[in-house]
Amino acid sequence: MIDKKQPSDLDANCIHFRREIKVSNLDLAMTDTGHPEVEENITREHCPSCDGERRCQVRGHTYVPWSWSDDVNGFSMSGGIDHSLLQCLGCETVFYLHNSWNDEDFDYWVDADGTERREANRTKTTYPKPVGQRPQWLEALGKKDHDLKNILDQVYTAADAECLILASIGIRTAVDRATEVLGIDPTEPFVKKLSELKSGGWIGDTEHDVLSVVTDAGSAAAHRGWEPDDHEFAKLMMAVEMFIPRAILFGKDVLDVKKAIPPKKNRIKNKKT
Ligand SMILES: [Zn+2]
């Protein structure tokens, strides 16, 4: 909330923005009535399917301003939302863009003439949301163990929806399932399972410590509502994405290659006479 204030020179920028929107609405109306001279209404936005900025055709748009005031205490707040239906000109996906601003979130700067300017920061969300990349080995993992693949599918879905508490719990569940697939007794506590992974040669000292952190994080999320930030979650995810395909898909098969490698020949040293 901010103190209720009179319009100032700084509001000129907002007025300019609203005028732009009005022009956009006019263009859309002309497009809808089929005027051939209105060739296109194109914008550049983040396509959720391409997961990158693309030229998009505006299929529909409306701007809804809002305001709120507390006359007793003299506070007020206002903002607006652009609702747009867009179609990516790359992959042809049609998606909805929610593009909002409010008068508590502005960037300020001084232009070359020394005049203070401001511009509203915009928050953009698309529906559907961009789907993050899945590792290529996930399908192969499904053939090895459907339950483990299903757990990881749900972890990725939760992460895409920014539900990082649920995703962190899911990561711990994935490690738990992986230990079971490797033949470790599922009734053992996590500490014992990780210890058996190490003694069984599936992981080394460092990875044991890394997976301890991963499972502790999942436990903290499950029991104490701890939520990692994006950076922390990416590290947890990376640890699991390294452990699971190597242990489950490749296992110790690579050790069989050792039998095919010819032994080193002993080097005959020239003795000085
Ligand atoms: Zn696209």
Side-chain angles (χ1 to χ4, degrees):
M1 287 186 291
I2 58 173
D3 291 334
K4 201 169 188 175
K5 59 182 183 297
Q6 296 300 315
S8 67
D9 292 343
L10 295 179
D11 293 319
N13 207 288
C14 285
I15 293 167
H16 172 66
F17 170 76
R18 290 180 190 184
R19 196 169 292 143
E20 281 183 346
I21 291 297
K22 205 170 178 182
V23 169
S24 175
N25 275 333
L26 178 63
D27 287 349
L28 282 166
M30 291 173 73
T31 303
D32 290 342
T33 53
H35 283 258
E37 63 271 22
V38 182
E39 187 178 88
E40 55 185 3
N41 197 324
I42 304 295
T43 183
R44 289 191 74 87
E45 294 295 347
H46 192 101
C47 168
S49 295
C50 297
D51 200 13
E53 191 178 280
R54 296 290 183 273
R55 293 176 75 242
C56 297
Q57 180 83 44
V58 181
R59 298 295 184 190
H61 171 266
T62 190
Y63 175 72
V64 180
W66 59 268
S67 62
W68 169 85
S69 63
D70 177 354
D71 293 335
V72 176
N73 297 303
F75 296 120
S76 70
M77 191 173 171
S78 61
I81 303 169
D82 279 295
H83 302 271
S84 304
L85 190 66
L86 306 177
Q87 183 167 27
C88 174
L89 293 177
C91 68
E92 300 187 346
T93 295
V94 176
F95 62 98
Y96 165 76
L97 174 67
H98 184 281
N99 181 348
S100 64
W101 71 277
N102 68 70
D103 63 5
E104 289 193 358
D105 188 9
F106 281 92
D107 273 342
Y108 293 86
W109 74 94
V110 178
D111 67 14
D113 299 330
T115 306
E116 190 174 359
R117 302 285 183 185
R118 70 176 187 176
E119 183 176 15
N121 285 315
R122 296 224 141 218
T123 302
K124 296 183 179 183
T125 308
T126 64
Y127 298 94
K129 288 175 178 290
V131 175
Q133 296 291 319
R134 271 42 169 180
Q136 291 183 340
W137 47 260
L138 205 56
E139 291 307 315
L141 184 70
K143 293 188 176 74
K144 198 98 174 183
D145 188 77
H146 176 266
D147 288 347
L148 182 52
K149 193 239 178 200
N150 186 34
I151 293 165
L152 285 174
D153 270 337
Q154 295 197 24
V155 167
Y156 287 113
T157 302
D160 287 342
E162 298 176 17
C163 299
L164 298 188
I165 295 177
L166 297 180
S168 301
I169 297 168
I171 285 179
R172 185 175 189 267
T173 307
V175 174
D176 199 9
R177 177 62 192 168
T179 60
E180 190 173 350
V181 173
L182 294 172
I184 294 171
D185 184 352
T187 62
E188 297 282 3
F190 246 114
V191 173
K192 187 88 188 309
K193 288 174 181 174
L194 295 183
S195 176
E196 287 190 26
L197 280 178
K198 192 167 82 168
S199 62
W202 300 104
I203 57 174
D205 288 341
T206 303
E207 194 163 18
H208 173 272
D209 294 345
V210 168
L211 291 179
S212 295
V213 173
V214 169
T215 55
D216 285 349
S219 177
H223 302 297
R224 300 189 292 282
W226 173 76
E227 182 176 13
D229 60 29
D230 290 345
H231 194 58
E232 290 165 335
F233 180 78
K235 288 180 180 176
L236 298 176
M237 201 68 228
M238 190 184 295
V240 170
E241 287 178 336
M242 292 176 77
F243 162 63
I244 287 182
R246 185 175 46 71
I248 305 295
L249 293 180
F250 301 113
K252 297 176 182 174
D253 291 351
V254 71
L255 298 179
D256 294 338
V257 179
K258 185 182 172 92
K259 298 170 192 166
I261 300 174
K264 281 184 184 174
K265 290 179 180 172
N266 289 330
R267 193 178 290 172
I268 300 169
K269 292 180 181 174
N270 292 327
K271 290 183 179 175
K272 289 182 181 175
T273 55

